[in-house]
Amino acid sequence: MTHAAASPHPFIVLRDGQALPPGLAAPVVAIGNFDGVHRGHRAVIGTAVDQARSLGRPALAVTFEPHPRAFFRPEEPIFRLTPEPMKLKRLAETGLDGAVVLTFDAGLAAKDAESFVADILVGRLDVSMVVAGYDFHFGKGRGGSPIFLREAGRRHGFAVEIVAPLLDEGAQVSSSVIRAALAQGRVEQAAHMLGAPWEVEAEVIHGDKRGRELGYPTANMRLDPAVTLAHGIYAVTVEIDGVRHKGVASFGRRPTFDDGAPRLETFIFDFRGDLYGRVLPVAFHAYLRPELKFDSIDALIAQMNEDSARARAALD
C-alpha cells in the first residue's frame, strides 16, 4: 500500500478534557496502543491516513497511556518499545495530523464498549471513520471486538475498516514478538519489524570513569528496569544535535568489575565533548557478542579494540 505524504500541518496532541479544534473536526481515527509504532501499526495508521486524505478529513491516532497492561498488572513492569514521548514522535512521522491520548485509569477501564463508542468516539471526537487492527479490543472486559465496532459504526453513523495482520515471512509482526527478539539480542530482526532500528532515549549520567582510563570514554545511561534487551555488545548510532554518530555500546552488568545494575555504556567514535545531562537517542544496529568476564584488563582492552573494529564494519 502506498500511503499519503506527511501532513503539512503541525502534529497536535490532545489529552483528557481537551476538545478537538475546528481543523480536526470529524476525523478518521486509527485506534490502538501502538507501542513501538511498528510496521503492523503503520499498516493501520497508513490506512487511516489514506482514507482521511481521500475523504478530505483529518487523520488522528487514538491511543492510551499508560499502557493498559501496566494498569491491570502493575506488579509486572512492561518493556515499552516506545515510551510515550518516543511513541508520539513516531506517530508524528506517519502523516497523521495529531493524536488523542486517553489516560488509562480506573474510570476508562470500567467503561464498557458501548459507552466508549458513545462517549469518546461519537460524543467527544465525532469520528467519520475508525480504523483498527484485526485483534483490537476495547472496553470493560475487552468486550469491544472488531465485529462489535463494525456494528456500532452502523448504529452511530461512522465507517469502520479493520486491517488484517501484517505477516513477515509467515510470522505476525507484533510488539510482543519484537520484545522477544530484543530479549535475545536479535536487533536486526526487531529493526525489520519496526521499520527502523530499535532506539532508546536516556540521560547521560556520570559513571565511574573507568572507560576513560581504558582509552574508551563512554556515555553512560540507566535504562528503564523493565527493558529486557539482551546483555551484550552492540553496534549503535547516537544522535547528537541532529547528527548521527557511530559507536559501540555495552549493555549489562560489567562482570569484569562490579556486576552491578544494568547500564548502557556507549563509546562514540571520533567524538569528544561533554554530554552529561543530555538526553540522547541510541539506535541498535547489530549484536556483536554476549557480555563476558575477562581475567585481565589487557584482555578486556584487546576485546574492546576488536569490538570497535567490528562495530565500525557493521555500520559502514
Side-chain angles (χ1 to χ4, degrees), residues 11 27-34 37 40-52 58-64 87 91 94-102 116 121 125 127-133 136 149 159 161-163:
F11 186 79
V28 175
V29 303
I31 187 168
N33 291 317
F34 299 133
V37 196
H41 295 148
R42 287 173 187 260
V44 174
I45 293 164
T47 298
V49 170
D50 288 347
Q51 291 284 3
L60 300 179
V62 173
T63 191
F64 308 91
K87 179 170 77 170
L91 289 174
T94 63
L96 288 164
D97 298 294
V100 177
V101 181
L102 302 178
F116 183 92
L121 296 183
L125 301 178
V127 297
S128 58
M129 176 182 282
V130 175
V131 181
F136 177 70
L149 188 59
E161 183 160 345
I162 303 301
V163 178

Side-chain angles (χ1 to χ4, degrees), residues 275-296:
L275 299 175
Y276 293 120
R278 300 277 298 273
V279 175
L280 301 176
V282 180
F284 292 75
H285 296 264
Y287 176 78
L288 302 179
R289 65 170 176 85
E291 188 175 38
L292 302 171
K293 184 174 183 177
F294 294 89
D295 294 330
S296 70

Side-chain angles (χ1 to χ4, degrees), residues 2-9 46 49-50 53 59 92-97:
T2 300
H3 299 312
S7 171
H9 308 293
V49 170
D50 288 347
R53 299 296 176 261
E93 297 167 351
T94 63
L96 288 164
D97 298 294

